Amino acid sequence: MSPTIDGLRPHIIALANQKGGVGKTTTAINLAAGLAELGFRVLLVDIDPQGNASTGLGVSPQNRKVTSYDLIVDGVSPQDVVQTTSVDSVWIIPANADLSSADLEIVSHEKRSFLLHDALRQPDLDSYAFDYLLIDCPPSLSLLTINAMVAADSVLVPLQCEFFALEGLSQLMLTIRDVRRSANPALRIEGIVLTMHDMRNKLTAQVEADARATMGDVVMKTTIPRNVRVSEAPSHALPVLSYDPASKGAVAYRALAREIANNRKTAL
């Protein structure tokens, strides 16, 4: 049963990692599609100035006249920025390069860390009856990322299976701890999801073993394999679940969506 039907507000998950190239946006797009397949209504909030999540869900640059920049910086109504996507039951608040200057423009604002929090709790969004809001953060621990963490119920951390993967994780965890202390005491870790996972590679096995030994149950059971279909899908403006539903990548993202949905049920 949908959490929204149960009368609860949407569950907000920020996807964050200050390191680029870890599969953050790919995970945001495909997790949204996987949750939609389970019958949930999902809003993806793109706050990455690169706007890759918007492109990957079929929103062309010319259709980004009003974006998350306008939502955060100018306080426009959410109804003015929410768009449909190429995936049924998935909507998006798109992004473009305007966001590159957002940190400088909001730094002097009295509520600079709460702008996205307040925007995503406007009554305008209630009519959509969203079950999940996924926030695709920029690859940095910027003021935009802080806004996402203050707005979110939890943080999902995509972690690439490579040598330096765990090095940046400690800084991210410190940032989450600081946000808990200062602005969002209820913020929790949704999980760490291992991406670009290849068990034929000894390094992958070592990174996974180290992550599970260090972080324990915080590491998701589901891992996302290195899969060419996952890489190809964005060029067709589709999640891999639509582009090649039977691929290993699609199967993995469906499993991740089920794991997150089940964790939500357990938390309730």
Side-chain angles (χ1 to χ4, degrees):
M1 182 178 290
S2 160
T4 299
I5 292 172
D6 288 343
L8 300 178
R9 67 172 182 80
H11 185 57
I12 305 176
I13 303 174
L15 287 91
N17 191 324
Q18 72 270 32
K19 188 176 185 302
V22 299
K24 176 182 53 62
T25 297
T26 299
T27 297
I29 291 170
N30 287 291
L31 176 58
L35 289 167
E37 279 192 4
L38 293 174
F40 295 106
R41 295 167 63 85
V42 184
L43 174 65
L44 200 162
V45 184
D46 189 354
I47 61 166
D48 185 342
Q50 297 173 93
N52 290 335
S54 305
T55 303
L57 283 172
V59 182
S60 63
Q62 56 266 35
N63 287 330
R64 300 181 212 173
K65 304 298 184 187
V66 187
T67 67
S68 55
Y69 170 90
D70 302 282
L71 183 75
I72 295 168
V73 177
D74 294 332
V76 303
S77 166
Q79 284 193 333
D80 292 335
V81 290
V82 174
Q83 295 190 30
T84 57
T85 72
S86 56
V87 181
D88 288 343
S89 295
V90 176
W91 288 257
I92 191 166
I93 294 177
N96 60 20
D98 290 349
L99 274 175
S100 299
S101 64
D103 273 22
L104 290 175
E105 293 185 50
I106 66 175
V107 69
S108 60
H109 196 289
E110 183 183 0
K111 298 187 70 177
R112 59 184 174 272
S113 298
F114 286 84
L115 297 173
L116 185 60
H117 171 281
D118 294 349
L120 296 181
R121 284 162 176 80
Q122 291 186 46
D124 290 12
L125 282 178
D126 293 348
S127 62
Y128 291 95
F130 291 124
D131 301 299
Y132 285 91
L133 272 56
L134 306 181
I135 307 173
D136 187 32
C137 297
S140 62
L141 295 179
S142 64
L143 191 48
L144 284 173
T145 300
I146 298 301
N147 261 265
M149 291 182 182
V150 172
D153 299 301
S154 62
V155 181
L156 180 65
V157 184
L159 190 72
Q160 186 178 0
C161 293
E162 63 167 27
F163 183 70
F164 293 115
L166 292 172
E167 285 199 352
L169 194 58
S170 58
Q171 183 58 52
L172 179 61
M173 293 302 171
L174 287 173
T175 301
I176 293 170
R177 186 189 67 183
D178 289 345
V179 170
R180 277 185 184 140
R181 288 176 173 174
S182 62
N184 186 1
L187 183 66
R188 65 180 181 83
I189 309 294
E190 185 74 34
I192 296 168
V193 58
L194 298 173
T195 61
M196 304 175 198
H197 191 274
D198 183 356
M199 282 309 295
R200 298 169 298 178
N201 185 326
K202 289 183 179 178
L203 180 58
T204 292
Q206 186 60 56
V207 170
E208 179 172 7
D210 289 350
R212 295 193 187 280
T214 304
M215 305 303 298
D217 291 341
V218 172
V219 182
M220 307 294 287
K221 296 181 178 67
T222 305
T223 59
I224 307 301
R226 190 177 290 276
N227 179 243
V228 68
R229 294 311 216 183
V230 172
S231 303
E232 290 172 353
S235 66
H236 297 269
L238 292 169
V240 72
L241 282 79
S242 303
Y243 176 65
D244 188 348
S247 66
K248 289 182 179 178
V251 170
Y253 276 116
R254 284 193 190 95
L256 180 64
R258 285 194 300 272
E259 186 173 354
I260 284 177
N262 289 335
N263 288 348
R264 174 69 171 150
K265 287 179 184 176
T266 301
L268 293 174

